[in-house]
Amino acid sequence: MSLKEYKPGTTFPGVVGRTPETSSPAWPEPLRAKPGAPNVLFIVLDDTGYGQLGCYGSPIRTPNLDRLAANGLRYSNMHTTALCSPTRSCLLTGRNHHSNGMACITEGSMGYPGANGIIPFENGFLSEILQRQGYNTFAVGKWHLTPAEQISAAGPYDRWPLGRGFERYYGFLGGDTHQYYPDLVHDNHAVEPPKTPEEGYHLTEDLADQAIRFIGDAKQAAPDKPFFLYFASGAMHAPHHVPKEWADRYRGQFDDGWEAYRHKVHQKQLDMGLIPPGTELSRHDPDVARWDSLTPDEKKLYARMMEVFAGFLEHTDHHIGRLLDFIESLGELDDTLIMVISDNGASAEGGPTGSVNENKFFNNVPESLEANLKALDDLGGPKYFNHYPWGWTWAGDTPFKRWKRETYRGGVSDPFIVHWPKGIQAKGEIRPQYAHAIDLLPTVLDALQIEPPAEIRGVAQSPIEGVSFAHTFNEGKAENRHVTQYFEMFGHRSIYHDGWRAVCPVPGPSFAESGMSFGQMEITEEKLRELDAHGWELYHVAEDFSETRNLADQHRDKLIEMIAMWYVEAGKYKVLPLDSRGTQRFAEERPQLTRGRQRYIYYPDTSPVPDNVAVKVLNRPHSISAEVEIHDGAEGVLLAHGGSTGGYSFFVKDKKLCYVHNYVGTEEFAVESDAEVPQGKAELRFEFDPTGRPDLAQGKGAPGRGQLYIDGKLVGQAELPVTVPLLISLGEGLTCGHDAASPVTSRYEVPFAFSGKLNRVTVDVSGELIEDKEAELRAIITRQ
């Protein structure tokens, strides 16, 4: 029988084992979604405050997001957790962040059940649910939901995007990344960016391209199959990177300062009806300098930092618009349930004066106005990892006080847009009902008429903790069903219940008023009792939307009730114990795939090793040894760790052996050989011997002596007066045989791949260094 003669039901004579019951071929029914099932699109912005989108009163132009708001709904009372990983876990699971083990970002995880950084499989992801319902599932952009020690090529991969129900992935697994030199992963493997910054590369454009490609790939093969796309840009997290022409569009528009910005945005929000009539603007933050008190140079620098941020946001909106336009070209925009949200309030990680290298914040390194002014003309470009100052953070959260990492409304109240014309008749309306990030998953399931599964891949599912707000889509005055919600971040606590909020700020309402900096105070049992007795504030947010009137003294009974309720919720969701430490958490040791290693061997032409999996050399004696074979003046990088924001590089250049330590982008300390590297086989070695102790609180790693050896002979040495104390770099790991992403040092251009033969590089942290009496004597003489 030929294929042309075949018709359904035709039998196949002569097939071995054919019986009357199997005389006709039969295939299992393909998994198909319900007829007419809409697409689902989550757009997750990073570090975008309540008052930073155009449709939330900002002067920053966001026409594509504004278009979604005009044809959909804006929610004025949406809440998040005050930090990125915790919020993202809520969005995708419908469970609270402590229930997900996400008390903090994955890099700051601890061993307690609510803070171990490991999202349990009984908390199923929306992607896992929708995949079983016949959806294609794609994740593009920032992930930051895999334990930090599990994101290397050694896996395990079960908590990577493809292990949690996404069929395709393109983006970065960590918390932030360079927008021009990103650390990219495609599905389950690391990849290089398709272009260089010189060729016009920018991450946001690349992410939009990939999202469009994923959808297009699927739709051309199965046009009726719906998709779930989780699109999480690196924007607006630092670095604030954008081509200069986008920032220049805002030239001079912020010269009147952050107070003026707040007053204009507040009035616009009132005019829009976004905030209730009579909502007061929160007080001038004690940690923020008044604009009129600044010097002309400070005003110039800070205004430009905000121009760059504004251009970055408009640029991001433009590429979101490209994605929306593509979906519209398919004829499916109106039947795509789109939810746009930020993961927390505006970020204060730039410090009071802003930063040209956010890695200083994570290493407790103070900023220098003089140095930052020198970077003015290059802000937004690939040279710097810039972030604006606290004043713009505070302004970005208008009308609220405070910011990201704190559980006042400035940290936890965020813009939220829903767009679904085929499912929502209302257009351009505002919804005041209380909602939280945990509510998105149950709302989607409600709108799609999907019951939460009892099990996923054989794992019994925990109860969903969020509450659907789908009933508010077409009824602006619908009842508020999310009545109680706790908050906790770095010991900073609050709770909402039926129109009231109680807040216990840590270390205080502001750093200035507490006399301490972020994460400086340790919450002991004694301190906790003191905070519970005297540290809580009370706000009737049903009447005081922006938390301006503390009623703790007038309504003591209500406050005690709210504090007790917080403890009930804390017990229910595994919130305790509290850990108020900030950047100090990064120094904690965490579980590793291999225990007790003192020797790490790296090979050329392999994937970058993420910082949390790479060898830890900071503040300890160590050696780096490379087995090489050099001919015809071969040169290049042997081992590099980090990038322009901090790190170290061991390399050969101009026939000399070199080591450079990049101290958080502020200064390079170099050791160079006084002898040429010989032709042929050789062992090239660098040793670091600490000569003092680190001062982590002051942003100073251990000083020490750097020495270079060729075949065991000392050929160069120098003192390293200070080293990186806590975090090598932001997003850029360790590479062997070349320097990936941004360059560790200005002494070469990336990738500066080693052109000789490199067998391996061994890093030894056992503390065993070459005993060289002559070198020790010379070092003593040098220090005198």
Side-chain angles (χ1 to χ4, degrees), residues 68-69 71-75 416-418 424 426 428-429 431 472-473:
L68 294 180
N71 291 300
L73 303 172
R74 280 171 296 168
Y75 282 74
F416 180 61
I417 302 167
V418 178
I424 302 174
E429 295 184 4
R431 294 289 182 262
T472 69
F473 283 174

Side-chain angles (χ1 to χ4, degrees), residues 117-131:
I118 301 173
I119 304 175
F121 292 115
E122 56 262 32
N123 294 359
F125 279 36
L126 182 59
S127 46
E128 294 172 308
I129 297 172
L130 294 185
Q131 185 186 39

Side-chain angles (χ1 to χ4, degrees), residues 438-455:
I438 59 175
D439 298 335
L440 268 66
L441 180 144
T443 300
V444 170
L445 297 186
D446 191 3
L448 272 53
Q449 299 181 354
I450 295 173
E451 289 293 322
E455 59 80 28

Side-chain angles (χ1 to χ4, degrees), residues 258-268 281 398:
W258 35 66
E259 294 100 341
Y261 179 102
R262 293 185 84 230
H263 284 290
K264 286 184 285 190
V265 171
H266 175 238
Q267 187 58 54
K268 187 83 173 288
L281 192 58
T398 302

Side-chain angles (χ1 to χ4, degrees), residues 63-138:
N64 293 290
L65 294 177
D66 295 355
R67 173 168 57 122
L68 294 180
N71 291 300
L73 303 172
R74 280 171 296 168
Y75 282 74
S76 61
N77 219 355
M78 171 55 74
H79 297 78
T80 56
T81 70
L83 203 63
C84 48
S85 295
T87 292
R88 292 160 193 267
S89 76
C90 296
L91 298 176
L92 288 170
T93 68
R95 282 83 167 183
N96 283 296
H97 57 303
H98 292 88
S99 297
N100 289 321
M102 286 286 182
C104 180
I105 58 175
T106 59
E107 295 86 350
S109 61
M110 303 300 292
Y112 302 109
N116 59 22
I118 301 173
I119 304 175
F121 292 115
E122 56 262 32
N123 294 359
F125 279 36
L126 182 59
S127 46
E128 294 172 308
I129 297 172
L130 294 185
Q131 185 186 39
R132 289 161 48 119
Q133 294 291 326
Y135 276 71
N136 279 133
T137 53
F138 313 127

Side-chain angles (χ1 to χ4, degrees), residues 379-693:
L379 294 179
K383 188 175 180 180
Y384 296 105
F385 211 95
N386 47 292
H387 192 303
Y388 57 25
W390 282 351
W392 295 121
T393 309
W394 170 61
D397 290 324
T398 302
F400 307 117
K401 58 186 172 186
R402 304 304 285 175
W403 41 57
K404 173 183 177 180
R405 303 192 314 266
E406 300 184 15
T407 67
Y408 284 118
R409 294 205 65 186
V412 301
S413 292
D414 287 284
F416 180 61
I417 302 167
V418 178
H419 180 274
W420 186 27
K422 281 199 174 180
I424 302 174
Q425 283 71 55
K427 289 186 177 182
E429 295 184 4
I430 295 167
R431 294 289 182 262
Q433 289 84 0
Y434 190 94
H436 187 273
I438 59 175
D439 298 335
L440 268 66
L441 180 144
T443 300
V444 170
L445 297 186
D446 191 3
L448 272 53
Q449 299 181 354
I450 295 173
E451 289 293 322
E455 59 80 28
I456 294 178
R457 286 182 287 194
V459 178
Q461 294 297 286
S462 66
I464 290 175
E465 295 162 2
V467 180
S468 171
F469 53 82
H471 67 292
T472 69
F473 283 174
N474 290 304
E475 180 49 64
K477 296 182 179 180
E479 64 175 331
N480 179 39
R481 294 180 180 173
H482 196 135
V483 178
T484 304
Q485 179 62 46
Y486 83 93
F487 299 86
E488 188 276 331
M489 190 57 60
F490 296 109
H492 201 289
R493 296 175 286 163
S494 60
I495 186 164
Y496 168 86
H497 179 71
D498 198 20
W500 291 81
R501 283 193 100 237
V503 186
C504 186
V506 170
S510 68
F511 300 137
E513 291 163 309
S514 72
M516 290 181 281
S517 60
F518 166 61
Q520 194 175 23
M521 183 181 74
E522 182 179 355
I523 300 183
T524 61
E525 289 188 20
E526 181 181 0
K527 186 64 180 179
L528 186 58
R529 286 194 291 270
E530 179 186 336
L531 287 170
D532 284 342
H534 306 291
W536 285 86
E537 302 167 3
L538 181 67
Y539 301 95
H540 192 193
V541 289
E543 299 178 358
D544 177 20
F545 187 76
S546 51
E547 291 181 327
T548 61
R549 298 185 293 276
N550 180 9
L551 304 177
D553 291 337
Q554 295 94 314
H555 296 278
R556 190 68 183 172
D557 290 347
K558 184 67 176 180
L559 179 61
I560 292 172
E561 174 192 338
M562 297 284 281
I563 296 171
M565 193 177 300
W566 187 90
Y567 276 99
V568 170
E569 298 298 293
K572 188 187 302 182
Y573 299 116
K574 300 184 290 189
V575 179
L576 299 173
L578 299 179
D579 188 345
S580 61
R581 295 174 304 156
T583 53
Q584 296 94 323
R585 289 192 187 190
F586 300 124
E588 293 286 348
E589 290 193 19
R590 292 182 175 78
Q592 297 295 318
L593 298 181
T594 304
R595 293 182 178 179
R597 291 174 71 186
Q598 294 186 323
R599 296 178 73 250
Y600 294 71
I601 300 176
Y602 297 105
Y603 302 96
D605 301 320
T606 52
S607 299
V609 181
D611 190 62
N612 281 281
V613 185
V615 58
K616 304 292 187 294
V617 300
L618 298 182
N619 306 312
R620 65 195 302 188
H622 60 271
S623 65
I624 305 173
S625 301
E627 300 173 15
V628 303
E629 190 170 331
I630 292 182
H631 298 288
D632 301 321
E635 62 179 11
V637 170
L638 304 169
L639 192 76
H641 190 172
S644 60
T645 60
Y648 59 87
S649 183
F650 185 42
F651 57 97
V652 177
K653 186 180 181 187
D654 298 330
K655 299 183 180 180
K656 297 293 184 69
L657 183 61
C658 303
Y659 172 91
V660 171
H661 188 95
N662 179 337
Y663 175 63
V664 292
T666 63
E667 194 167 358
E668 293 183 8
F669 302 108
V671 189
E672 183 174 311
S673 67
D674 52 22
E676 293 187 352
V677 178
Q679 299 288 293
K681 294 182 178 180
E683 183 198 38
L684 310 179
R685 181 180 177 96
F686 167 79
E687 291 190 349
F688 177 77
D689 187 8
T691 56
R693 297 177 65 83

